[in-house]
Amino acid sequence: MREIEQIYHNNFGIAFYWKNQNTTISDKIQLVFKETGFYLTVQELNKFCDLIEDSLIENACCEACELKYSCHKFLLKTPCSQIDLAVSMTELKSIKDLVEGSLFRIELDEYVYGAGLN
């Protein structure tokens, strides 16, 4: 099994960098959830974050509905224009946490080990 460097995880999925011979390959992030994997750049991960937010706004009409967490699936666009996902509201919020947590950790590491070093 190949080695990884974990970026962030929650109960729904994980984000990590692949390692090759003890060297972290940090140009792309592997995002895995719901038996699905995406290999994305930081720019694509940011775009995915925006698409998740768009989906949450688009489905805000469901806020007052008693079935909003057990309802059928909502369509979630991905940074890959050919791929859309069908997810529940609970899954959508878990994906949002996974993507936002990953971006936060990436930006924090860039600051701490980059601009933050004197």
Side-chain angles (χ1 to χ4, degrees), residues 51-69:
L51 292 167
I52 292 166
E53 195 60 40
D54 290 348
S55 185
L56 283 168
I57 291 168
E58 197 171 300
N59 295 300
C61 62
C62 299
E63 279 303 313
C65 179
E66 292 177 17
L67 301 174
K68 72 177 177 179
Y69 290 107

Side-chain angles (χ1 to χ4, degrees), residues 28-54:
K28 288 194 173 188
I29 297 98
Q30 182 75 60
L31 190 69
V32 180
F33 58 88
K34 197 179 175 185
E35 297 87 33
T36 304
F38 290 97
Y39 198 46
L40 305 170
T41 64
V42 173
Q43 181 181 1
E44 290 168 330
L45 199 59
N46 275 303
K47 182 177 180 181
F48 196 24
C49 191
D50 293 340
L51 292 167
I52 292 166
E53 195 60 40
D54 290 348

Side-chain angles (χ1 to χ4, degrees), residues 51-117:
L51 292 167
I52 292 166
E53 195 60 40
D54 290 348
S55 185
L56 283 168
I57 291 168
E58 197 171 300
N59 295 300
C61 62
C62 299
E63 279 303 313
C65 179
E66 292 177 17
L67 301 174
K68 72 177 177 179
Y69 290 107
S70 59
C71 190
H72 293 287
K73 307 290 183 175
F74 299 98
L75 192 63
L76 172 60
K77 295 195 175 298
T78 71
C80 307
S81 61
Q82 302 89 341
I83 301 172
D84 293 337
L85 302 174
V87 296
S88 69
M89 186 58 73
T90 302
E91 292 169 334
L92 183 61
K93 289 183 178 188
S94 294
I95 296 167
K96 179 181 191 229
D97 173 71
L98 183 62
V99 171
E100 287 180 346
S102 300
L103 286 168
F104 175 80
R105 177 66 193 275
I106 290 165
E107 290 170 8
L108 180 63
D109 285 350
E110 284 178 3
Y111 177 76
V112 169
Y113 299 111
L117 287 176

